[in-house]
Amino acid sequence: MAARLMQGNEACVEGALAAGCRFFAGYPITPSSEIAELLSRRLPQVGGYFIQMEDEIASIAAVIGASVGGVKAMTATSGPGFSLMQENIGYAAMAEIPCVIVNVQRTGPSTGLPTKPAQGDVMQARWGTHGDHPIIVLSPSSVMETFLLTVRAFNLSEKYRSPVILLMDEVVGHMRERVELPPPESLEITNRVAAHVPPEWYFPFEDPSTDVPPLAPFGEGYRYHITGLFHDRAGFPTERVDEIDAWIARAFGRIEQHRQDIISYEEDVPAGSRVLVVAYGATARSARHAVKLARAKRYKVGFLKLETIWPFPEEATERLARQCKRVIVPEMNLGQLALEVERVVGRQKVRRVNLANGEMITPQQILAAIEEK
Amino acid sequence: METNDRYEIRLAGEGGQGLILAGLILAEAAAVYDGKNAVQTQSYGPEARGGASKAEVVISDGVIDYPKVIAADLLLCMSQEACSKYVYGMKKNGILIVDSVHVDRVPTSRAYMIPITKIAEEATGRRITANIVALGLIVGLTGVVSRKAIEAAVRARAPKGTEALNLKALEAGLAEAERIRAEAERGQSVPIRAS
């Protein structure tokens, strides 16, 4: 395909459509609005549905409903809307409904700085809904990566029957870059596994052959129950400890046991590196720039760019940090993913670089941290 | 060293002046029509009109990591506030272009003070085309993208039905740049204070 100048939010739309998304329900909010705007035009052209809902609570509810109807579905929002969506994100996690939630982060809390970037929702993306629950969160750092990770978000969502959060930020969402999108036929697209038993044998939450039971769409003769309560294999409420424990083991296990498949990152850590910079999202751009500047000054620096942030890539972080004396974690927040890095490599090794005032962290700020003794 | 191979442009003024569109057009000219790498970012307030607005474009033959301006090679100021705020964030030999219709206090003599909005009004009858006149000036004075590329990008991104109008505005900016260069070659002093 020809080179185009494309915005991050536009790449998210293209990625969603390429992945097979045919339903969007949302409520526009800066800096995510372009996603809704473009999908309102594009979805009807491909036989899909776009609904502007009355608020974000209804938006995620509609997305869950569409997905249970058998359609790949997504919504897009920013901090204030993401807060409103939390309860139903938990519902999707509990009922194991595939869906993609895009959060183009702006500075918070509350309405904060509507047009300025931040990475303040890292912990909210992991723990924003109440109760222990498995979740997958991806965070892109470029327009091209936004396209690819949106496709991946849908694939992982369908494969593991889980809500997946695409955690963007204002810089990446609004940034325009030269991209050449890969031809659609070169993309690997994961579709939902169809129920392989007749309706009377079907259990939506138990399948002896897999830890991800097929989700039969409502309306095709498979009658079952969905609830936010703990439920048995048929979906009906239960308080039986053996059934609850079985759900917990399977629901968490399906993510934990496939960490290798779910986690992606890029490493550039030459042998002999003394300092490791770990970054994600827009900040990874500043970090890579800083690493190049540092190497030009003959500092031995490695770089780990995370694409999956939840589950946290602890194996990669631990392995790459082992040879390094110090690990630098720049983030547009007051230290969120740094907590995970500290957990894995030890607090003494970690140097945080934080900025939460709506400005991007500059390469010079990270370089200064690299140059510290 | 690819991190040094960057041409950094900051277009600053007020919301509603079309600076983000101008940045987009410039980036598209570089990335699509000249085949270079380009990244455009933006920063604006929550207001639809008024309030500070700025677009930044980084152009490079290599990979562009940090997407924002570090120190501008070229700064365009379409408001006094923008000029006062960003004039010190320039490279030593950076080029400063200000719209003298909106900016009267420039803390340096090394500036192109050009009545951009007036030129737009004369060329097209529409003040709103000042952003495209500014693009003509930038391309004419720096050659950061080719003339062909900027024309193609303006044609592609101008709102439907306004292509001819905007190309006229671009032409006016390019002609003004031509005039300034000719004056400079005749040994007349640059900076130029027109208006």
Side-chain angles (χ1 to χ4, degrees):
Chain A
M1 284 197 172
R4 291 172 59 185
L5 188 77
M6 189 179 275
Q7 196 182 47
N9 283 341
E10 198 181 348
C12 177
V13 165
E14 293 302 326
L17 293 171
C21 172
R22 291 297 178 267
F23 183 91
F24 179 97
Y27 188 87
I29 179 170
T30 302
S32 77
S33 299
E34 292 85 359
I35 297 174
E37 186 186 348
L38 288 168
L39 279 171
S40 73
R41 240 175 290 152
R42 295 292 305 278
L43 273 171
Q45 294 169 353
V46 294
Y49 300 88
F50 172 93
I51 311 180
Q52 180 168 327
M53 301 299 289
E54 68 268 34
D55 61 28
E56 288 86 349
I57 300 173
S59 300
I60 178 79
V63 163
I64 290 169
S67 182
V68 177
V71 182
K72 291 186 185 179
M74 77 182 278
T75 187
T77 189
S78 187
F82 194 54
S83 290
L84 288 175
M85 289 181 183
Q86 291 307 324
E87 182 178 1
N88 272 335
I89 291 174
Y91 187 92
M94 180 59 119
E96 298 169 66
I97 312 294
C99 55
V100 173
I101 300 115
V102 180
N103 174 4
V104 188
Q105 296 168 97
R106 65 192 218 182
T107 316
S110 191
T111 24
L113 295 166
T115 60
K116 307 282 180 193
Q119 295 176 301
D121 306 347
V122 167
M123 281 297 171
Q124 189 188 24
R126 178 63 194 90
W127 298 114
T129 196
H130 55 276
D132 286 305
H133 60 280
I135 198 88
I136 298 170
V137 183
L138 312 177
S139 188
S141 68
S142 70
V143 173
M144 187 64 192
E145 217 171 273
T146 301
F147 175 85
L148 294 172
L149 289 189
T150 305
V151 173
R152 213 166 123 66
F154 275 97
N155 285 350
L156 292 173
S157 172
E158 295 294 333
K159 190 170 178 184
Y160 297 107
R161 249 185 89 174
S162 172
V164 174
I165 292 159
L166 186 74
L167 201 59
M168 297 171 63
D169 54 65
E170 187 276 339
V171 176
V172 171
H174 278 162
M175 178 164 66
R176 290 186 178 85
E177 284 189 285
R178 181 181 198 270
V179 291
E180 281 179 62
L181 295 186
E185 61 275 13
S186 73
L187 295 170
E188 197 183 311
I189 304 296
T190 307
N191 291 312
R192 211 171 289 184
V193 177
H196 46 72
V197 294
E200 52 283 16
W201 296 355
Y202 175 70
F203 290 112
F205 298 99
E206 186 186 276
D207 185 325
S209 67
T210 169
D211 51 4
V212 187
L215 182 65
F218 272 6
E220 291 189 1
Y222 288 82
R223 294 175 56 183
Y224 58 96
H225 194 249
I226 294 179
T227 171
L229 293 165
F230 268 99
H231 42 268
D232 62 17
R233 62 184 183 171
F236 289 106
T238 183
E239 290 187 355
R240 273 177 51 178
V241 170
D242 58 333
E243 289 179 331
I244 295 164
D245 281 339
W247 184 86
I248 292 171
R250 184 179 57 73
F252 281 84
R254 80 192 201 278
I255 305 293
E256 274 305 305
Q257 281 156 29
H258 297 100
R259 291 176 68 93
Q260 298 279 33
D261 181 42
I262 293 166
I263 289 174
S264 67
Y265 52 84
E266 263 179 47
E267 60 176 88
D268 169 20
V269 185
S273 293
R274 307 292 285 163
V275 176
L276 177 68
V277 182
V278 182
Y280 58 96
T283 309
R285 306 288 289 253
S286 310
R288 191 189 280 119
H289 194 122
V291 166
K292 285 178 183 171
L293 293 173
R295 285 177 182 165
K297 292 179 155 190
R298 307 215 176 280
Y299 286 95
K300 295 186 184 307
V301 192
F303 179 47
L304 171 61
K305 186 197 74 187
L306 304 178
E307 292 170 1
T308 306
I309 58 172
W310 299 110
F312 181 70
E314 50 192 42
E315 298 86 351
T317 304
E318 193 173 18
R319 171 172 57 81
L320 296 169
R322 198 171 296 142
Q323 61 168 317
C324 298
K325 274 210 146 95
R326 295 189 303 131
V327 180
I328 296 170
V329 187
E331 297 178 272
M332 285 187 283
N333 56 42
L334 296 179
Q336 296 199 12
L337 211 62
L339 292 165
E340 283 297 294
V341 179
E342 286 166 359
R343 176 177 67 80
V344 170
V345 310
R347 218 169 64 185
Q348 296 72 19
K349 253 191 182 183
V350 175
R351 164 73 159 87
R352 302 180 184 185
V353 177
N354 301 111
L355 206 59
N357 59 5
E359 296 294 316
M360 216 180 148
I361 297 176
T362 64
Q364 283 68 25
Q365 287 166 320
I366 299 169
L367 179 64
I370 294 171
E371 290 182 318
E372 281 169 10
K373 280 281 167 306
Chain B
M1 186 63 209
E2 57 195 2
T3 46
N4 292 332
D5 167 38
R6 294 162 62 100
Y7 195 85
E8 302 187 331
I9 299 159
R10 181 175 276 150
L11 313 175
E14 283 174 6
Q17 288 182 322
L19 292 166
I20 292 174
L21 178 62
L24 192 170
I25 290 172
L26 197 56
E28 187 155 278
V32 176
Y33 300 103
D34 273 349
K36 295 183 176 182
N37 277 321
V39 181
Q40 179 253 322
T41 56
Q42 58 204 48
S43 172
Y44 58 94
E47 312 89 347
R49 266 174 223 85
S53 173
K54 116 185 125 155
E56 298 188 341
V57 180
V58 180
I59 299 171
S60 174
D61 289 322
V63 176
I64 299 166
D65 292 315
Y66 183 61
K68 303 239 173 197
V69 166
I70 297 168
D73 294 280
L74 184 132
L75 172 65
L76 167 74
C77 294
M78 299 283 287
S79 76
Q80 183 62 53
E81 189 194 339
C83 186
S84 308
K85 185 167 175 188
Y86 295 118
V87 74
Y88 301 105
M90 295 179 63
K91 288 207 177 79
K92 213 170 170 195
N93 295 315
I95 297 171
L96 172 62
I97 302 175
V98 303
D99 184 344
S100 56
V101 174
H102 298 296
V103 182
D104 48 20
R105 299 186 309 280
V106 182
T108 168
S109 58
R110 292 169 50 84
Y112 292 105
M113 294 192 65
I114 300 162
I116 299 173
T117 302
K118 202 170 131 215
I119 293 171
E121 220 163 3
E122 284 164 8
T124 68
R126 307 277 305 274
R127 290 167 72 90
I128 203 166
T129 58
N131 59 339
I132 307 298
V133 172
L135 283 182
L137 274 166
I138 290 169
V139 172
L141 289 173
T142 68
V144 64
V145 299
S146 69
R147 210 179 149 125
K148 238 170 107 180
I150 196 71
E151 279 170 8
V154 167
R155 194 173 287 117
R157 289 286 183 168
K160 275 223 159 35
T162 69
E163 293 89 345
L165 188 83
N166 279 294
L167 285 169
K168 216 190 246 179
L170 182 73
E171 191 51 48
L174 286 163
E176 177 68 10
E178 198 71 28
R179 193 188 65 75
I180 292 168
R181 291 175 81 103
E183 273 183 21
E185 264 164 44
R186 282 201 305 275
Q188 288 177 357
S189 63
V190 177
I192 276 103
R193 284 174 181 268
S195 108

